[in-house]
Amino acid sequence: MTTTRTYPGRTIKAGETDAAMVRAVQARLKALAYTVPAESGVFGPETVAAVKLFQAQHVDRLGQPLKADGKVGPHTWAALFGDHAVPETTRPSSPFFAALLEKARSQLHVREVPVNSNSGPEVDRYLSRVGVSLTLPAKSKPWCCAFVYWCFDEVATAHGLANPMVRTAGCLDHWNRAVSRGATRVVGSRAAADPALIVPGMVFVMDYGAGKGHTGFVQGVEGGFIHTIEGNTDASRTREGGGVYELRRKLSAINKGYIAYPL
């Protein structure tokens, strides 16, 4: 039977100074018949090797292989101690963000018309809200960020508030300018090590290079995964899909980070 121990909110790796935490990892590995120092509390080469072997032989909660890097992050911690050892968060931080996610979910029927056009009645409405010309060629009208802005704008108006979000169709432009609008940012690497930093209602941002990005809403955190609502995507999790979808992504896939507005 798995002994549940709550994830400490950081990656446990070689050189870890919390001996009690290291002993907990070593004890769990030993209980699973992996060779480690006798709960020495030192995360040295033998413990790194044992963690790597464990990772090579186990999968995450979606059945995907663990990354065999010898470090105990949220996915490996969940595999060692059980899924519930890594905190889950499904409750938005305020009524505004609850309404924001409900607005986003109301758009799950949206699909591009025609297919692969970056157009359609609803898509055009998102793009127009951020000032994108609908006469542009399809490849010049990515709309994931416009979808996020439209949701913010609709809910802010309904609550009699000014829209806090930067008015832009650019994911990376949003990332760069969000702080000027009072938002806070959590970089992706920090969030991947500590899922507790992520709260439903945050906006995630991915950077594909060459100025290209992707974005959407976090609606829940489940261990080392986020549940999302995002536009201009599909079940393949690309940035050029044809609709609004609910997806699940690894925290480690969000390479830029997360934006939180103070509402």
Side-chain angles (χ1 to χ4, degrees):
M1 180 179 294
T2 301
T3 300
T4 299
R5 184 174 179 124
T6 302
Y7 181 64
R10 67 182 188 283
T11 299
I12 306 301
K13 57 187 178 180
E16 171 62 45
T17 58
D18 187 335
M21 196 63 62
V22 176
R23 281 194 290 270
V25 171
Q26 291 171 331
R28 183 63 190 146
L29 288 166
K30 186 177 179 180
L32 294 171
Y34 290 88
T35 302
V36 294
E39 301 174 43
S40 66
V42 177
F43 205 124
E46 298 89 347
T47 302
V48 171
V51 171
K52 284 184 176 180
L53 181 57
F54 173 85
Q55 291 169 324
Q57 296 175 339
H58 289 79
V59 296
D60 63 29
R61 69 176 67 192
L62 294 186
Q64 299 298 311
L66 295 171
K67 182 178 180 180
D69 58 4
K71 302 174 183 179
V72 185
H75 294 290
T76 298
W77 193 276
L80 276 170
F81 293 100
D83 289 342
H84 296 298
V86 182
E88 300 181 6
T89 307
T90 59
R91 181 176 297 178
S93 59
S94 73
F96 180 91
F97 289 113
L100 183 65
L101 292 174
E102 186 59 35
K103 177 60 68 174
R105 279 190 288 269
S106 76
Q107 302 299 294
L108 288 170
H109 66 285
V110 171
R111 299 294 182 268
E112 293 177 358
V113 181
V115 174
N116 298 326
S117 65
N118 279 347
S119 296
E122 295 91 351
V123 174
D124 289 352
R125 187 163 64 239
Y126 307 150
L127 290 167
S128 295
R129 193 69 63 92
V130 294
V132 173
S133 172
L134 302 182
T135 62
L136 290 171
K139 66 180 181 179
S140 299
K141 296 188 296 182
W143 53 274
C144 58
C145 193
F147 165 69
V148 171
Y149 180 86
W150 180 88
C151 291
F152 264 102
D153 207 42
E154 290 288 301
V155 175
T157 298
H159 283 72
L161 301 170
N163 187 345
M165 182 178 158
V166 176
R167 185 173 184 256
T168 180
C171 304
L172 302 181
D173 182 49
H174 182 205
W175 175 264
N176 291 333
R177 294 202 285 147
V179 173
S180 70
R181 299 296 296 269
T184 58
R185 301 184 304 189
V186 180
V187 297
S189 58
R190 187 178 174 208
D194 186 3
L197 295 172
I198 307 308
V199 179
M202 279 183 163
V203 177
F204 73 85
V205 179
M206 303 170 73
D207 186 347
Y208 286 81
K212 297 178 180 179
H214 184 63
T215 193
F217 292 106
V218 176
Q219 66 170 332
V221 184
E222 178 189 10
F225 297 87
I226 54 171
H227 294 269
T228 70
I229 309 172
E230 49 195 272
N232 208 171
T233 191
D234 56 29
S236 69
R237 299 181 178 86
T238 69
R239 59 176 296 276
E240 296 178 346
V244 178
Y245 288 81
E246 291 180 295
L247 299 176
R248 179 159 53 178
R249 295 181 182 271
K250 282 189 173 183
L251 283 167
S252 57
I254 310 304
N255 62 345
K256 198 67 176 179
Y258 302 82
I259 298 169
Y261 283 95
L263 286 172

